[in-house]
Amino acid sequence: FPHRLDYVSVCVFLRCINENTLLEGQNVVLVPYNADHVPRYHEWMKSPELQQLTASEPLTLEQEYDMQRSWREDNDKCTFIILDKQRWADTSMEEEQCMVGDVNIFLTNPTDPTLAELEIMIADPSYRGRGIGKEVTRMMMSYGVAKLGVKNFQVKIGLDNQVSIAMFKKLHFQEASVCTVFREVTLEMTVDESVRMRLLETVVLQERDYRQTCTNRHELLS
């Protein structure tokens, strides 16, 4: 893939990722957000804590299915469900039992396809503080740089979510602005050549065919 793609080409590629791309990291597997994931996701989002951290309103189960279809079909957004790699490699486990959270990468400016916004949620409290968020963020950044030609990353985080703010600052994101009305901080990172090479050389990331890997998922840890 070229380092720079036009906006339409990137949108088409994001749609393809959403359909059948699996990204394997060291401790996690990122898979497309499917209808089978919705019931567990819906249970997560009943949490007042997650609603506050993600600035979300509670939805009915039917609305959650509608949202899943929308995210899956949006051309400018790609959503992955984060799975515990070791649990998922155990074929006796249903995929929804391996869910940890979700991560999104989406385009925010039709005139600048090199700008991408990241969102990440570690919904299962038992997985917080274990470096999962950092690993997933670096995976998505590496993928965005290598496949989409992203040059600038942006995150918007609620001011009360100090854990996420601290994590992104450790990843060298810089504070760009603070919106007191929405109580939100925007952090940004420009991907220069040193950042690009560091991501591509140090991040553990392998792209696989999702449907094919599902039938042989025990091989991930072999």
Side-chain angles (χ1 to χ4, degrees):
F1 289 84
H3 294 314
R4 184 180 181 90
L5 298 172
D6 62 63
Y7 183 80
V8 174
S9 297
V10 176
C11 286
V12 170
F13 187 67
L14 284 176
R15 179 73 175 271
C16 292
I17 295 173
N18 259 5
E19 291 177 351
N20 194 38
T21 296
L22 177 149
L23 303 179
E24 178 190 352
Q26 186 171 353
N27 301 295
V28 297
V29 175
L30 309 183
V31 300
Y33 184 23
N34 298 319
D36 290 344
H37 301 135
V38 172
R40 178 81 184 276
Y41 196 94
H42 181 61
E43 287 301 312
W44 282 344
M45 298 313 297
K46 290 179 181 179
S47 162
E49 178 194 18
L50 287 180
Q51 291 173 18
Q52 179 183 6
L53 291 175
T54 60
S56 302
E57 297 292 331
L59 302 177
T60 65
L61 182 58
E62 183 179 354
Q63 289 172 326
E64 205 77 76
Y65 276 109
D66 289 339
M67 186 69 73
Q68 180 269 331
R69 284 190 291 271
S70 171
W71 287 355
R72 187 69 177 265
E73 294 169 3
D74 281 353
N75 286 330
D76 60 352
K77 184 173 185 178
C78 180
T79 300
F80 285 104
I81 292 294
I82 307 167
L83 305 179
D84 179 319
K85 179 178 174 179
Q86 188 159 8
R87 287 171 64 88
W88 193 70
D90 181 351
T91 54
S92 68
M93 303 287 292
E94 296 293 334
E95 188 162 287
E96 57 266 29
Q97 294 177 282
C98 308
M99 292 170 60
V100 173
D102 76 320
V103 61
N104 304 296
I105 185 169
F106 56 99
L107 307 179
T108 57
N109 187 345
T111 66
D112 184 5
T114 68
L115 175 63
E117 186 171 337
L118 289 171
E119 292 179 344
I120 182 168
M121 177 181 73
I122 305 300
D124 188 327
S126 67
Y127 284 88
R128 297 175 192 163
R130 294 168 51 177
I132 298 297
K134 184 177 180 180
E135 178 183 0
V136 171
T137 299
R138 295 180 76 233
M139 287 173 65
M140 290 303 292
M141 290 176 64
S142 178
Y143 199 75
V145 168
K147 293 292 188 178
L148 306 178
V150 175
K151 299 291 186 182
N152 294 280
F153 286 102
Q154 186 180 79
V155 292
K156 296 180 179 180
I157 308 171
L159 291 174
D160 294 329
N161 193 349
Q162 290 298 316
V163 173
S164 289
I165 293 172
M167 182 195 77
F168 278 99
K169 286 186 175 180
K170 286 181 180 177
L171 291 171
H172 306 295
F173 278 71
Q174 303 294 319
E175 185 175 305
S177 63
V178 176
C179 179
T180 55
V181 175
F182 295 106
R183 292 191 51 76
E184 182 180 77
V185 60
T186 298
L187 305 175
E188 296 179 346
M189 175 191 277
T190 298
V191 181
D192 58 23
E193 188 59 23
S194 64
V195 172
R196 180 178 179 275
M197 293 307 298
R198 184 167 67 247
L199 284 170
L200 300 184
E201 291 175 359
T202 63
V203 175
V204 177
L205 177 64
Q206 183 168 351
E207 181 181 355
R208 296 178 182 270
D209 180 289
Y210 173 54
R211 286 184 287 267
Q212 183 178 351
T213 308
C214 280
T215 62
N216 300 291
R217 65 196 218 196
H218 64 281
E219 296 179 359
L220 285 182
L221 297 181
S222 61

